[in-house]
Amino acid sequence: MPTETSHRPGDPISDPLSSPLAETLDVAAGVDLHMHSRASDGKLTPTELVDLCHVRGIRHMALTDHDTLDGVAEASERARSLGLKLLPAAELSCQWRGQGIHIVAMLPAGVSEGFTAGLGVLANARKARSREIAHRLEKIGLEDGLARARHEAGSERPLGRPDFAAALVTAGLVPDMPTAFKRYLGAGKRGDVKMHWPELATVVGWIRDSGGVAVIAHPLRYGMTRRKRDLLFTAFIEAGGEAAELVSGYQNPNATFDFARQLHFHGLYGSLGSDFHYPGGALAPGTISPPPRSHVVPVWRHPALADFATGGSAPSVTL
């Protein structure tokens, strides 16, 4: 599939006034572009997730499971029946300067053969990563960690850190999931394994080859200084990346305001998402900190997402 010409925020798109989505991020409502289902490490089936979004008033959504598109077809069918607009997407794992980074691939036109092959690379990397996480957690007392995490997953889908966190809770090694991440699975902890991921530029290339839009997921969670984020954004843009999540779940308002200025400086589009995984937690579909008024252009203003942003019929895509 040919790569779409790069577009910078602020350039006009056809018939911009027809979009039911807000033209600025600070007044956006009914949109959540980062959520997970049971196809990766979420607790709801794709259908159940779409149903929950419908109940909560979400009208434009993206299913962004980790390194897979397996839930998109089911979610798209349910969304179409309820009148929701669903954007095919996935949250892809990569690394930059040895640090793990997640890139949301927004795929309005489907995927290329290269992207499909890339998902295979990530699946193999995730298997190797899971084995390494299990090995490390066994050293702190989680016996047969891989099997325990698989039991928590309840299926043969790729394992994620939440599965190991649940295994730690079930084994009585930690009282709850947040503690599991704080002690063992969060950034820089014993179970935070990134060594198997492809480079950032490679993953962004897969997205570009599919005519998609690459979005850096939750940039404020990587523990970077502002200067290091500048370097990350520069490398990301050079690779063909065009957007980053301005708000992911709950954020400090002052940090978000400054971050908006940083995104605008780099000319990146801004996205919004809850990073929802399971009911009963702090986050639900559509729950995010209020975006500040800024000059950051919403990612749905990108020409590739024009059909998604409007009230027209959902596009037919090949996945």
Side-chain angles (χ1 to χ4, degrees):
M1 187 174 295
T3 300
E4 183 169 327
T5 302
S6 182
H7 177 267
R8 306 306 295 162
D11 290 350
I13 65 174
S14 60
D15 196 14
L17 297 180
S18 68
S19 174
L21 278 172
E23 295 191 30
T24 59
L25 289 159
D26 57 301
V27 295
V31 56
D32 191 328
L33 302 181
H34 189 149
M35 292 179 285
H36 298 274
S37 78
R38 198 179 292 173
S40 65
D41 58 348
K43 294 301 181 184
L44 300 180
T45 66
T47 293
E48 290 169 340
L49 175 61
V50 174
D51 287 346
L52 180 57
C53 287
H54 180 64
V55 169
R56 291 188 56 81
I58 303 299
R59 294 294 174 263
H60 289 77
M61 63 179 290
L63 178 60
T64 59
D65 279 315
H66 291 283
D67 304 326
T68 183
L69 292 165
D70 286 352
V72 169
E74 177 186 334
S76 296
E77 182 177 355
R78 184 58 174 167
R80 193 175 298 111
S81 71
L82 294 175
L84 278 63
K85 296 297 291 292
L86 185 138
L87 178 64
E91 185 177 4
L92 306 185
S93 305
C94 65
Q95 60 176 319
W96 173 76
R97 294 190 173 185
Q99 179 167 358
I101 303 293
H102 288 178
I103 305 295
V104 171
M106 297 184 171
L107 303 164
V111 297
S112 65
E113 291 183 3
F115 189 98
T116 301
L119 290 182
V121 170
L122 291 171
N124 290 332
R126 187 167 285 276
K127 290 177 183 177
R129 174 179 182 253
S130 295
R131 290 193 294 269
E132 178 63 21
I133 293 175
H135 175 68
R136 294 186 184 188
L137 295 183
E138 284 169 359
K139 292 183 177 180
I140 58 96
L142 184 65
E143 297 181 3
D144 203 8
L146 198 62
R148 286 176 176 267
R150 175 62 62 198
H151 176 75
E152 297 294 338
S155 72
E156 292 303 311
R157 64 162 173 76
L159 296 175
R161 283 180 297 169
D163 300 312
F164 287 97
L168 289 169
V169 174
T170 300
L173 295 173
V174 294
D176 51 42
M177 297 276 283
T179 304
F181 275 88
K182 183 177 181 180
R183 293 183 185 175
Y184 302 116
L185 292 161
K189 301 301 181 181
R190 184 188 295 266
D192 180 29
V193 179
K194 314 178 184 68
M195 67 183 73
H196 303 291
W197 304 130
E199 293 294 327
L200 178 145
T202 298
V203 170
V204 172
W206 298 340
I207 300 168
R208 295 281 296 168
D209 286 345
S210 297
V213 181
V215 184
I216 297 181
H218 40 67
L220 295 182
R221 296 190 200 169
Y222 299 121
M224 296 181 179
T225 63
R226 198 178 196 278
R227 173 56 181 160
K228 190 170 183 179
R229 281 200 306 272
D230 280 331
L231 296 175
L232 169 63
F233 291 158
T234 298
F236 178 65
I237 291 168
E238 289 177 351
E242 298 181 88
E245 290 178 352
L246 173 61
V247 179
S248 175
Y250 294 129
Q251 292 180 186
N252 177 279
N254 291 332
T256 305
F257 179 79
D258 180 65
F259 184 54
R261 294 192 298 177
Q262 190 176 22
L263 289 188
H264 179 62
F265 173 81
H266 285 280
L268 290 167
Y269 288 92
S271 187
L272 306 171
S274 63
D275 200 4
F276 170 77
H277 282 76
Y278 57 91
L283 298 172
T287 56
I288 62 171
S289 296
R293 174 178 287 185
S294 72
H295 295 292
V296 179
V297 179
V299 68
W300 54 83
R301 304 290 299 150
H302 190 289
L305 303 182
D307 287 342
F308 171 74
T310 64
S313 59
S316 176
V317 298
T318 301
L319 297 176

